[in-house]
Amino acid sequence: MDLTKEAGKAGAPRKYSVENVVAILPTTGLRSKDWLERAMRDLGCSDTAFYQKKKEAMEKGFVKPDGDPAKQNTPFLPTEDGKNAVQLSDFRSKVAESSMRQNGNDKRFAKR
């Protein structure tokens, strides 16, 4: 079998999205350390996964530092783009779940 012709990306599927990491950030902001602790507790993600998603969120403009990002006490705040991305992600999840229910593909809602 020629694996180069297989569709998709190699490796395990991603468990966390940048929107998940932004969604747990309160509008009042959190220091990076506190945000990491919340992500580990609420999402179960590793510190490596968190820092990758945090970097992606900053690159996409979903979060911004409220001061010098190199300083430990600087809080990170969600931007309007970040809030919109979280809402869009939630909407897409609800549409996908609804579609799965309608098509009978969601085992949680399957008739017994």
Side-chain angles (χ1 to χ4, degrees):
M1 173 162 75
D2 185 4
L3 294 179
T4 59
K5 295 183 181 181
E6 292 292 321
K9 295 182 179 179
R14 296 179 187 255
K15 294 180 183 179
Y16 318 104
S17 70
V18 67
E19 292 85 4
N20 296 140
V21 174
V22 174
I24 63 168
L25 184 62
T27 56
T28 56
L30 286 175
R31 295 179 310 153
S32 188
K33 178 183 174 184
D34 298 328
W35 189 14
L36 166 63
E37 289 173 1
R38 183 175 281 197
M40 293 174 83
R41 182 190 69 224
D42 294 355
L43 301 175
C45 75
S46 69
D47 58 343
T48 302
F50 167 77
Y51 285 115
Q52 288 172 344
K53 296 303 175 191
K54 176 185 165 192
K55 179 181 176 186
E56 186 179 341
M58 288 181 66
E59 289 171 350
K60 290 183 174 187
F62 292 170
V63 298
K64 66 178 180 180
D66 188 20
D68 184 357
K71 293 188 177 181
Q72 289 184 353
N73 288 332
T74 299
F76 286 83
L77 306 166
T79 63
E80 284 303 312
D81 286 345
K83 293 174 191 174
N84 292 336
V86 168
Q87 289 176 347
L88 183 59
S89 175
D90 289 345
F91 175 75
R92 286 180 181 156
S93 295
K94 288 176 184 173
V95 168
E97 186 175 295
S98 175
S99 176
M100 289 175 74
R101 265 191 252 144
Q102 289 175 356
N103 295 327
N105 294 334
D106 192 337
K107 293 178 184 176
R108 294 178 297 168
F109 301 103
K111 294 180 182 177
R112 294 181 187 215

